[in-house]
């Protein structure tokens, strides 16, 4: 569980680097989701939640695009 948690935070830092608002929002969401499920005891449910977390990490790495505004008519 801790491995997936740390992996999500590392991915968050890579994907949203230099975007403090997105970094903070992602940090809060990751922490909130793990905190909301910290008392889960069902092994099946825990496996399902870990699968979801791993899927989210893959989506962040492969699907999120951060644009940088460089000029008035360029991104």
């Amino acid at each position: 569980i801790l491995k997936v948690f740390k992996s999500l935070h590392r991915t968050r830092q890579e994907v949203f680097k230099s975007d403090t608002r997105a970094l903070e929002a992602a940090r809060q969401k990751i922490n909130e989701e793990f905190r909301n499920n910290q008392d889960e005891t069902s092994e099946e449910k825990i496996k399902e939640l870990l699968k979801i977390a791993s899927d989210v990490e893959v989506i962040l790495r492969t699907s999120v695009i951060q644009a940088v505004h460089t000029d008035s008519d360029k991104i």
Side-chain angles (χ1 to χ4, degrees), residues 6-57:
K6 287 181 176 183
S7 177
L8 275 168
H9 277 290
R10 279 192 296 274
T11 299
R12 165 190 72 92
Q13 290 174 332
E14 290 174 24
V15 171
F16 299 119
K17 68 180 166 197
S18 301
D19 187 346
T20 55
R21 190 171 57 178
L23 279 167
E24 181 60 22
R27 184 188 70 77
Q28 288 179 358
K29 186 64 175 171
I30 292 166
N31 291 345
E32 175 187 328
E33 290 299 323
F34 274 81
R35 197 174 305 113
N36 287 344
N37 293 295
Q38 72 182 2
D39 295 328
E40 186 60 56
T41 57
S42 166
E43 191 172 325
E44 185 176 306
K45 180 68 174 174
I46 291 170
K47 285 180 182 179
E48 179 184 326
L49 290 167
L50 288 174
K51 173 72 169 116
I52 291 169
S54 295
D55 290 348
V56 167
E57 197 257 341

